[in-house]
Amino acid sequence: MRVLVVDDEPAARAKLRRLLHAHADVSEVAEAADAPAALAALARQGFELAILDIEMPGGSGLQLAAQLPTRCRCVFSTAYGEHALQAFELGALDYLLKPYTAERLAATLDRVRAQLALPAPAPT
């Protein structure tokens, strides 16, 4: 699984990178510190998962989620619980409230794996 972590806090990105590398099926973890950098990374590479913070310079994670490629799943990692409903309305698979545990992230990745295993929808 190729993962893009988008968070303006270096410590938050480092924690996610460390926790994600503990999963054998996570083949790549790329990082972006803001929405414009994330959009550039998404345009260059195909990610299966984007883990987004809510409040960042250059645009919110919610705005970014609305611009993700259809093949990229979305999970939020944030300290702001009040945005969860909007995140799920945008198609988020999960909403991690900081601080979270390795076990909580593992459950999120199980949910992502289940979604990735589903067949692609047939064209209409």
Side-chain angles (χ1 to χ4, degrees):
M1 181 182 335
R2 299 180 72 211
V3 182
L4 176 63
V5 174
V6 186
D7 197 309
D8 60 322
E9 297 177 24
R13 291 193 312 269
K15 177 182 178 179
L16 265 172
R17 183 178 54 249
R18 180 179 51 79
L19 293 175
L20 287 165
H21 280 303
H23 296 267
D25 63 338
V26 175
S27 60
E28 179 183 348
V29 179
E31 298 178 23
D34 56 38
L39 286 172
L42 288 162
R44 287 189 316 270
Q45 302 169 332
F47 293 98
E48 288 91 13
L49 175 62
I51 301 178
L52 310 174
D53 190 15
I54 294 283
E55 293 193 13
M56 307 177 287
S60 78
L62 294 167
Q63 293 167 328
L64 181 58
Q67 299 176 61
L68 290 176
T70 55
R71 68 186 181 283
C72 185
R73 306 315 195 274
C74 173
V75 167
F76 284 90
S77 168
T78 182
Y80 301 97
E82 63 268 19
H83 300 288
L85 179 59
Q86 188 177 2
F88 285 114
E89 287 173 348
L90 289 168
L93 295 181
D94 209 344
Y95 198 90
L96 296 167
L97 279 176
K98 296 175 184 176
Y100 48 85
T101 63
E103 294 78 15
R104 180 65 178 88
L105 178 62
T108 294
L109 292 176
D110 286 344
R111 184 174 292 162
V112 172
R113 289 181 192 102
Q115 281 292 312
L116 291 172
L118 294 175
T124 57

